[in-house]
Amino acid sequence: QVQLEELGGTLVQPGGSLRLSCAAAGETARITDMTWYRQAPGRQRESVAIISKEGITRYADFAKGRFTISRDNIKQWIFLQMNRLTPDDTGVYYCHALLDGKGYWGQGTQVTVSS
């Protein structure tokens, strides 16, 4: 079992930056991939960025060059640094962890990009 808690969502102006954090607790040593997803109002949840236990990363096209995912394997946190935010980045951001083939979700944190 793994519990995930996202932190850091807030209101930010267009062009601004924001750093999201996700804290994992429980059987964290066996977590493999960790992923940030987001869900905008009226849209399906989509993958933003994924990081393996070895630190290999992949990004959605909209995130490339603006977002950076990182991971602390000691404290079992992952982070999402988001730069040059636009209103299209508004949504609930979720942390997902894969453990023994089973996925675990956090409750999400709201990011609103608006002037």
Side-chain angles (χ1 to χ4, degrees):
Q1 292 277 346
V2 170
Q3 299 80 43
L4 302 169
E5 181 181 14
E6 301 92 340
L7 303 166
T10 189
L11 172 65
V12 61
Q13 291 192 340
S17 297
L18 194 61
R19 187 189 196 215
L20 303 181
S21 304
C22 171
E27 300 176 69
T28 58
R30 303 206 324 270
I31 293 174
T32 53
D33 292 347
M34 297 190 76
T35 306
W36 283 103
Y37 285 83
R38 72 182 187 184
Q39 188 165 17
R43 300 184 64 178
Q44 289 189 334
R45 193 172 298 188
E46 60 183 350
S47 173
V48 178
I50 182 171
I51 186 165
S52 72
K53 193 167 188 174
E54 297 77 22
I56 298 170
T57 59
R58 294 197 306 273
Y59 295 90
D61 285 344
F62 64 79
K64 291 176 182 176
R66 298 191 302 131
F67 295 1
T68 303
I69 188 171
S70 58
R71 181 168 180 166
D72 182 332
N73 280 332
I74 296 176
K75 294 182 178 179
Q76 296 300 334
W77 285 64
I78 64 167
F79 308 94
L80 186 68
Q81 176 67 41
M82 304 187 291
N83 299 324
R84 304 199 308 275
L85 287 162
T86 75
D88 286 344
D89 296 314
T90 294
V92 179
Y93 284 69
Y94 296 91
C95 179
H96 178 274
L98 197 61
L99 185 153
D100 295 338
K102 183 176 180 180
Y104 295 84
W105 294 93
Q107 292 298 307
T109 187
Q110 175 70 45
V111 173
T112 302
V113 184
S114 175
S115 55

